[in-house]
């Protein structure tokens, strides 16, 4: 993982949480891996609007924090799968609440963005 220019404020629990799950695709990656282990190419297909490089970086970040783990199979060609860890599973209730809030806010978002 790259070294951050600004240190993380570990005294603020919200900033810690946002460091781990913040990012456009991290929460979605966690939810998908909670259902089943996936290969990187499968994740790229699940998020067609995402740049594969961004997904790869967010996978590395989640692995760094122990939220997911990567298993590389000694096969030809090499096969890699990502799995959610027990620590990652502790985030699922939080992600469910975030999704619930998003559902509640959806009408407001449509109004704000003028979407019918």
């Amino acid at each position: 993982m790259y070294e951050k220019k600004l240190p993380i404020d570990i005294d603020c629990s919200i900033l810690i949480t946002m460091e781990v799950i913040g990012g456009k695709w991290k929460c979605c990656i966690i939810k998908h891996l909670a259902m089943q282990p996936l290969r990187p190419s499968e994740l790229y297909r699940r998020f067609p609007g995402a740049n594969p490089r961004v997904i790869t970086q967010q996978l590395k970040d989640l692995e760094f924090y122990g939220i997911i783990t990567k298993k590389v199979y000694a096969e030809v060609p090499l096969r890699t799968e990502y799995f959610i860890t027990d620590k990652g599973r502790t985030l699922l209730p939080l992600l469910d609440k975030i999704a619930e809030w998003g559902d509640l806010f959806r009408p407001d978002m449509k109004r704000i963005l003028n979407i019918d």
Side-chain angles (χ1 to χ4, degrees):
M1 192 164 129
Y2 65 93
E3 190 169 327
K4 298 203 176 275
K5 293 180 181 134
L6 298 173
I8 300 165
D9 180 358
I10 61 169
D11 293 327
C12 178
S13 56
I14 291 174
L15 290 177
I16 291 170
T17 305
M18 292 309 298
E19 173 64 27
V20 174
I21 66 168
K24 188 169 183 177
W25 303 103
K26 286 182 184 177
C27 292
C28 298
I29 290 169
I30 294 166
K31 289 294 278 186
H32 280 275
L33 292 179
M35 292 184 270
Q36 68 186 77
L38 293 168
R39 298 174 74 174
S41 60
E42 294 170 316
L43 286 164
Y44 302 152
R45 281 193 296 274
R46 292 189 187 217
F47 311 116
N51 184 317
R53 220 170 90 198
V54 172
I55 297 295
T56 299
Q57 182 58 54
Q58 294 197 351
L59 286 166
K60 287 179 184 178
D61 290 349
L62 290 168
E63 186 180 13
F64 177 79
Y65 289 117
I67 305 304
I68 64 172
T69 189
K70 175 172 70 172
K71 183 173 181 182
V72 179
Y73 295 90
E75 300 173 351
V76 177
L78 213 56
R79 180 169 59 105
T80 302
E81 286 185 333
Y82 286 94
F83 299 81
I84 191 167
T85 63
D86 289 340
K87 189 185 303 181
R89 289 197 182 281
T90 65
L91 286 167
L92 296 176
L94 172 64
L95 298 183
D96 289 340
K97 283 295 188 184
I98 290 171
E100 184 180 313
W101 186 87
D103 287 339
L104 290 172
F105 192 71
R106 182 177 287 117
D108 293 314
M109 184 64 92
K110 287 181 175 181
R111 182 182 46 76
I112 292 165
L113 299 176
N114 291 321
I115 299 173
D116 293 325

